[in-house]
Amino acid sequence: MYTIDQNSKTPLHIQLYEALKNDIVQNLKVGEKLPSIRKLSSTYNLSKNTVESAFRQLYVEGFIESYPKSGYFVSDTNFKDFRTSHANKEAIETTQKSYKYDFFPARLPKDSFPLKLWKRIYTKVIDETLDLGGYPDGQGEYILREQIAEYLNNSRGANCIADQIIVTSGFGESMGLLAKMLKSTHDTFAMEDPGYHIVNQVFSAYGYEIEKIGVDENGLMIDALQKSKAKLVYITPSHQYPKGVSMPIANRLKLLEWAKDTDALILEDDYDGELTYYNRPIPSLQGLDKNDKVVYFGTFSKYLSPALRVSYMVVPQHLLGLYKTHFDSHFCKVSLDTQITLAHFMKEGHFDKHIRKIRTLHKKKHELLKKLLEEHLGETMKIEAQGAGLAIIITPAVAFDWEKFKILAEQEGIKLYFAKGVSGGSWEALRLGFGGFSEKELYEAVEILSKLWRKALLN
Amino acid sequence: MYTIDQNSKTPLHIQLYEALKNDIVQNLKVGEKLPSIRKLSSTYNLSKNTVESAFRQLYVEGFIESYPKSGYFVSDTNFKDFRTSHANKEAIETTQKSYKYDFFPARLPKDSFPLKLWKRIYTKVIDETLDLGGYPDGQGEYILREQIAEYLNNSRGANCIADQIIVTSGFGESMGLLAKMLKSTHDTFAMEDPGYHIVNQVFSAYGYEIEKIGVDENGLMIDALQKSKAKLVYITPSHQYPKGVSMPIANRLKLLEWAKDTDALILEDDYDGELTYYNRPIPSLQGLDKNDKVVYFGTFSKYLSPALRVSYMVVPQHLLGLYKTHFDSHFCKVSLDTQITLAHFMKEGHFDKHIRKIRTLHKKKHELLKKLLEEHLGETMKIEAQGAGLAIIITPAVAFDWEKFKILAEQEGIKLYFAKGVSGGSWEALRLGFGGFSEKELYEAVEILSKLWRKALLN
């Protein structure tokens, strides 16, 4: 006898289904006949519909078979080890260390995001006019692309239209898309050395041969590039990653000339382009180019929030056809509501204001970190890069035990970031991010850091 | 003489910078000396700071050089073709055709998204406690992963914990991640034929050899799989794509047995798992598995909104170490606010209710489309798949001119979707999505469709 509770919250047909299934698994044999619908209906005081519904589910899941005019039978399968209990799962012990201070070079302060304003705009613009039942435009919503194009033309000296913008969920996705698009026409990829390891990874994964081009005080060494066979080069002209130098106008023009003469393509990563503290931002290379030889890469992560996951690229017009025919996935990875809110945030002028605000904020912290480093470390260190971005980069000016320093930092709970790990080269330096710290925290963090640094000095 | 306007809104140092730059580009020669700071300061009645600031910008951008005690000089570069005007860019003419009726098989009605509720939750939970200055958890926010695990265990018969969930921005990203993760241990990839072309593309791109396994009325043919050398198979057991059949319990158990015996891995795409109209959803394979041989793939696109871009996968515990060590990109592509809002939406029980609501909604439309097709096309068609998902799949039951039919539909502005294009096989069928239509639109759309269908019948 099955237990069917007429007063239970569980529907009757589900109670019967569970009871029958249990019986099949535990007791019945393959081919055995089940009680008829009429029988079950009268025994348990159930409607015929209820019993049929339970049988239908058992049938669909394959537990029973039905033969016309004969009834229902247990299917031919081995249920012996069905529904035996699983071991309870426990989370894998992840020893995620928590640090006292984290010098991550690419974060913004928690409270710098314009939350109230964002929510006000969100509430206003996310409404019934939006089609949340469909997929967003594969290239990104037009209204957002218009705003990005306008911003780039006005603030970054670019020269583009909405049609050239592709919205992505991050720099890595942008690079991956481009690597895929150019795979059939390019096989060698030149990049700065030291340079951004993520880019190396992406292009290596797509099978490109990587040519590393040195970097001097003017950025990428163009002479070396000219000697290479690459017709595709990645650069960070505004603020070279990780060395921090800017490429002067003469070299920018030379680079564009090279691209024109050799029919090459320049991938301009406008890394930290807006975050300059001693001068106005340097206009983009894209805007200087008259021959459609530059692909521009930008992001909102450093200026607004990395948690929104919005980046973009500007593709020259001659690549648009290729993109639209073969590489438009039709599914932009950025959610529609984020795209629309951001578009209106920009349209109402808030983004420009916000950039000015955070530039001032970061400049102050940058100055403080610099001052503290000079006070504490003095002659023992050399500042390699400063004046832009979210980090100051230093190297020891005297004999120094890097290994000891790294171990001490881990022991003290200070999370540090080094150039070697992210630039793929042999150049070692300490990248001290200040973006996430309050001023008070910066004082404390640098004090601890300095003690460890001094312990790692040799003799 | 430069024009410097003391009353302009443009800061004085920027006016001077622009004037000097213009002079350099237009008139001055390489190596030519610029007026001294003192001279410019007195001529234009500017502070020394203002002039220095203009010079600094020109210096940083590389227009001028500075020699101690000598002053500033025009840098050695060719400015002749600098700043010449660009041709105005115009959008490439994209002839995006607009259709009268679009039978897209994977969309939801525009008004089915619970907009008011979503906004209420967004407004409540997006607050200062969120860290919008940092990157979201690479695996997805823990609170969302907890909710997904609970939902899967309760509603899809799964057996998982939050630690096993990886949040992605779409099914393609999930598949790509897995293809990357297994590259070093697997080289052959088995999938259903006909099957989902996106999966084929992703695994081919990563260099896997693809083995196509036939599909019969019980889904993937397990005998054929057993004969193949693949130790990795992709299936859509709840609702086979595109044929629409479900895999019976006996075959599910056989498949799990195969995976256990050969130490293979099953990729379970729970395609349309919740959208069944004649029976309750069939519990997932993942929950039946006792040997950690199943990776489960799910998405919110079909149940809530494709515009939110949230999908996920459930990884067996033995793959978690590999993921965390080598494949956690540290940047989940879904924005933090979407993740947090969705987590609370689920936590408050709205997601479960919403699924029930849209199941009823879709069932009604499904019944209507089926009725209309039977009325209009009668004996000339065969329904291949129905009773689940967002589309009914039909084939002609009589001689039929597919080419003529396709041309007529284009001419009439009816956007249709066919099995061949998306399943890579030779099986041709018409996939009629009903999700985006209102009932009224369905009546009209099927009427037009039927006329075209009849014209394409041979003899």
Side-chain angles (χ1 to χ4, degrees), chain A residues 10-295:
Chain A
T10 308
L12 291 169
H13 71 278
I14 295 178
Q15 289 187 52
L16 182 62
Y17 154 80
E18 294 284 3
L20 285 166
K21 188 168 80 173
N22 195 44
D23 204 12
I24 293 169
V25 172
Q26 305 286 341
N27 312 312
L28 302 184
K29 291 196 183 72
V30 168
E32 199 161 332
K33 195 177 178 208
L34 272 78
S36 71
I37 292 179
R38 196 190 310 164
K39 177 93 187 288
L40 286 168
S41 167
S42 69
T43 310
Y44 297 101
N45 192 22
L46 299 168
S47 78
K48 211 180 141 220
N49 268 343
T50 300
V51 181
E52 276 174 354
S53 176
F55 274 22
R56 196 183 311 124
Q57 186 71 22
L58 289 167
Y59 175 76
V60 169
E61 295 191 19
F63 285 97
I64 59 176
E65 282 160 14
S66 125
Y67 297 105
K69 294 184 187 158
S70 306
Y72 293 92
F73 300 84
V74 176
S75 285
D76 174 14
T77 182
N78 167 27
F79 291 108
K80 289 294 163 287
D81 54 4
F82 178 61
R83 279 277 161 197
T84 45
S85 68
H86 291 261
N88 261 340
K89 292 188 178 177
E90 273 172 46
I92 286 176
E93 193 93 13
T94 45
T95 47
Q96 265 212 334
K97 196 173 165 181
S98 79
Y99 289 91
K100 250 183 285 182
Y101 294 107
D102 187 336
F103 280 92
F104 188 54
R107 68 159 293 150
L108 307 177
K110 195 170 162 181
D111 56 4
S112 72
F113 185 76
L115 191 63
K116 271 189 190 166
L117 189 55
W118 185 267
K119 280 170 74 171
R120 183 172 64 66
I121 295 172
Y122 188 97
T123 316
K124 198 175 66 189
V125 302
I126 304 305
D127 63 18
E128 304 71 33
T129 61
L130 295 179
D131 185 359
L132 285 152
Y135 286 88
D137 185 330
Q139 199 177 338
E141 294 303 301
Y142 194 78
I143 178 177
L144 176 59
R145 290 190 275 129
E146 269 183 326
Q147 289 304 316
I148 293 173
E150 199 181 316
Y151 153 72
L152 291 175
N153 294 345
N154 292 341
S155 298
R156 304 295 306 120
N159 178 26
C160 64
I161 58 175
D163 206 40
Q164 293 174 264
I165 311 281
I166 301 171
V167 178
T168 68
S169 68
F171 177 74
E173 192 198 334
S174 300
M175 273 291 150
L177 176 59
L178 201 89
K180 253 192 285 184
M181 278 174 62
L182 302 180
K183 191 69 196 78
S184 61
T185 48
H186 293 74
D187 48 18
T188 310
F189 173 75
M191 64 176 287
E192 300 157 328
D193 179 26
Y196 192 23
H197 67 305
I198 295 282
V199 175
N200 192 331
Q201 278 171 20
V202 169
F203 278 82
S204 297
Y206 281 100
Y208 287 80
E209 187 183 322
I210 311 291
E211 278 207 31
K212 295 195 170 185
I213 311 286
V215 169
D216 64 16
E217 70 281 7
N218 292 323
L220 181 98
M221 292 165 77
I222 296 176
D223 294 353
L225 178 66
Q226 283 165 337
K227 282 175 205 141
S228 101
K229 60 171 176 168
K231 291 192 167 189
L232 182 61
V233 64
Y234 165 84
I235 55 163
T236 47
S238 294
H239 186 217
Q240 203 273 331
Y241 181 96
K243 288 227 154 183
V245 295
S246 306
M247 183 179 278
I249 186 76
N251 289 36
R252 286 166 185 251
L253 294 172
K254 238 187 254 171
L255 192 63
L256 290 174
E257 204 64 26
W258 165 82
K260 189 186 160 196
D261 293 347
T262 61
D263 194 21
L265 213 51
I266 300 165
L267 310 187
E268 175 184 25
D269 176 3
D270 196 11
Y271 176 69
D272 285 341
E274 290 275 19
L275 296 180
T276 55
Y277 308 129
Y278 297 154
N279 51 271
R280 289 200 306 150
I282 299 172
S284 73
L285 197 61
Q286 196 272 354
L288 292 176
D289 171 34
K290 284 170 309 187
N291 302 292
D292 269 6
K293 296 299 182 201
V294 176
V295 188

Side-chain angles (χ1 to χ4, degrees), chain A residues 13-14 17-18 21 56-57 60-63 76-79 81-87 89-92 94 104 106-110 112-113 115 118-119 122-136 142 157 159-161 163-164 169 173 196 206 246-253 257 278-283 286-290 292 301-302 304-309 317 320-321 324 331-338, chain B residues 13-14 17-18 21 56-57 60-63 75-79 81-87 89-92 94 104 106-110 112-113 115 118-119 122-136 142 157 159-161 163-164 169 173 196 206 246-253 257 278-283 286-290 292 301-302 304-309 317 320-321 324 331-338:
Chain A
H13 71 278
I14 295 178
Y17 154 80
E18 294 284 3
K21 188 168 80 173
R56 196 183 311 124
Q57 186 71 22
V60 169
E61 295 191 19
F63 285 97
D76 174 14
T77 182
N78 167 27
F79 291 108
D81 54 4
F82 178 61
R83 279 277 161 197
T84 45
S85 68
H86 291 261
K89 292 188 178 177
E90 273 172 46
I92 286 176
T94 45
F104 188 54
R107 68 159 293 150
L108 307 177
K110 195 170 162 181
S112 72
F113 185 76
L115 191 63
W118 185 267
K119 280 170 74 171
Y122 188 97
T123 316
K124 198 175 66 189
V125 302
I126 304 305
D127 63 18
E128 304 71 33
T129 61
L130 295 179
D131 185 359
L132 285 152
Y135 286 88
Y142 194 78
N159 178 26
C160 64
I161 58 175
D163 206 40
Q164 293 174 264
S169 68
E173 192 198 334
Y196 192 23
Y206 281 100
S246 306
M247 183 179 278
I249 186 76
N251 289 36
R252 286 166 185 251
L253 294 172
E257 204 64 26
Y278 297 154
N279 51 271
R280 289 200 306 150
I282 299 172
Q286 196 272 354
L288 292 176
D289 171 34
K290 284 170 309 187
D292 269 6
S301 292
K302 296 287 194 76
L304 188 55
S305 162
L308 289 182
R309 311 305 302 129
Q317 303 232 359
L320 274 181
K324 289 185 182 184
F331 306 154
C332 176
K333 290 196 168 77
V334 185
S335 70
L336 184 65
D337 50 350
T338 302
Chain B
H13 71 277
I14 296 179
Y17 153 79
E18 293 284 1
K21 189 168 76 171
R56 196 182 312 126
Q57 186 70 22
V60 170
E61 295 190 20
F63 286 97
S75 285
D76 173 14
T77 181
N78 165 28
F79 292 110
D81 52 4
F82 178 60
R83 278 279 160 195
T84 46
S85 69
H86 292 261
K89 292 187 179 177
E90 274 171 46
I92 287 177
T94 45
F104 187 55
R107 68 159 292 150
L108 307 178
K110 196 170 162 181
S112 72
F113 185 76
L115 191 63
W118 185 268
K119 280 169 74 173
Y122 188 98
T123 316
K124 196 176 68 187
V125 302
I126 305 305
D127 62 18
E128 305 71 33
T129 60
L130 295 180
D131 185 359
L132 285 150
Y135 286 86
Y142 194 78
N159 177 26
C160 63
I161 56 175
D163 206 41
Q164 293 174 265
S169 68
E173 192 197 335
Y196 193 23
Y206 281 100
S246 305
M247 183 178 280
I249 185 77
N251 289 36
R252 288 168 184 248
L253 294 173
E257 203 63 29
Y278 297 155
N279 52 270
R280 289 200 305 152
I282 300 173
Q286 197 272 353
L288 292 178
D289 171 35
K290 284 170 308 187
D292 269 6
S301 293
K302 296 287 194 73
L304 188 56
S305 162
L308 288 182
R309 313 303 304 126
Q317 303 233 2
L320 274 179
K324 290 187 179 180
F331 305 154
C332 176
K333 290 196 168 74
V334 185
S335 71
L336 183 65
D337 49 352
T338 301

Side-chain angles (χ1 to χ4, degrees), chain B residues 196-450:
Chain B
Y196 193 23
H197 68 306
I198 297 281
V199 175
N200 192 330
Q201 278 171 20
V202 169
F203 279 82
S204 296
Y206 281 100
Y208 287 80
E209 187 183 322
I210 311 291
E211 279 207 32
K212 294 193 172 188
I213 311 288
V215 169
D216 63 16
E217 71 281 6
N218 292 323
L220 182 96
M221 292 163 77
I222 296 177
D223 295 352
L225 178 65
Q226 282 166 336
K227 282 176 203 138
S228 101
K229 62 172 176 171
K231 292 194 168 186
L232 183 60
V233 64
Y234 164 84
I235 55 162
T236 47
S238 295
H239 186 217
Q240 203 273 333
Y241 181 95
K243 288 229 153 181
V245 295
S246 305
M247 183 178 280
I249 185 77
N251 289 36
R252 288 168 184 248
L253 294 173
K254 239 187 253 171
L255 192 64
L256 290 173
E257 203 63 29
W258 166 82
K260 188 186 160 196
D261 292 346
T262 60
D263 196 20
L265 215 49
I266 300 166
L267 310 187
E268 175 184 27
D269 175 4
D270 195 11
Y271 176 67
D272 285 339
E274 289 274 19
L275 297 179
T276 56
Y277 308 130
Y278 297 155
N279 52 270
R280 289 200 305 152
I282 300 173
S284 72
L285 197 60
Q286 197 272 353
L288 292 178
D289 171 35
K290 284 170 308 187
N291 302 293
D292 269 6
K293 297 298 182 199
V294 176
V295 188
Y296 175 99
F297 295 84
T299 179
F300 290 94
S301 293
K302 296 287 194 73
Y303 307 141
L304 188 56
S305 162
L308 288 182
R309 313 303 304 126
V310 192
S311 294
Y312 53 86
M313 55 204 279
V314 185
V315 175
Q317 303 233 2
H318 63 88
L319 284 180
L320 274 179
L322 177 73
Y323 167 73
K324 290 187 179 180
T325 323
H326 295 295
F327 297 95
D328 184 348
S329 72
H330 303 298
F331 305 154
C332 176
K333 290 196 168 74
V334 185
S335 71
L336 183 65
D337 49 352
T338 301
Q339 291 192 56
I340 297 295
T341 307
L342 180 55
H344 287 271
F345 183 82
M346 297 178 86
K347 204 169 181 176
E348 293 179 13
H350 303 301
F351 185 56
D352 290 336
K353 274 183 217 154
H354 185 72
I355 286 190
R356 288 197 291 274
K357 201 185 107 187
I358 62 152
R359 196 186 288 135
T360 308
L361 185 84
H362 290 321
K363 181 178 181 173
K364 231 170 123 184
K365 284 193 215 174
H366 169 271
E367 295 299 282
L368 179 60
L369 176 57
K370 194 177 148 192
K371 195 190 82 168
L372 292 171
L373 289 173
E374 280 164 352
E375 279 173 17
H376 282 91
L377 305 182
E379 303 286 288
T380 68
M381 69 144 193
K382 183 184 168 214
I383 291 184
E384 297 279 350
Q386 55 141 340
L390 295 171
I392 289 178
I393 301 180
I394 66 172
T395 50
V398 294
F400 191 78
D401 187 341
W402 279 109
E403 279 320 302
K404 186 175 173 189
F405 180 62
K406 288 176 187 181
I407 291 164
L408 287 171
E410 278 297 309
Q411 284 170 353
E412 276 293 315
I414 307 288
K415 178 86 173 146
L416 295 177
Y417 300 84
F418 300 91
K420 230 183 197 169
V422 292
S423 59
S426 58
W427 186 64
E428 187 56 301
L430 182 57
R431 301 162 63 230
L432 295 169
F434 49 82
F437 290 116
S438 69
E439 293 195 14
K440 184 167 167 283
E441 288 168 336
L442 257 186
Y443 277 100
E444 295 163 359
V446 175
E447 200 170 313
I448 302 178
L449 178 83
S450 307

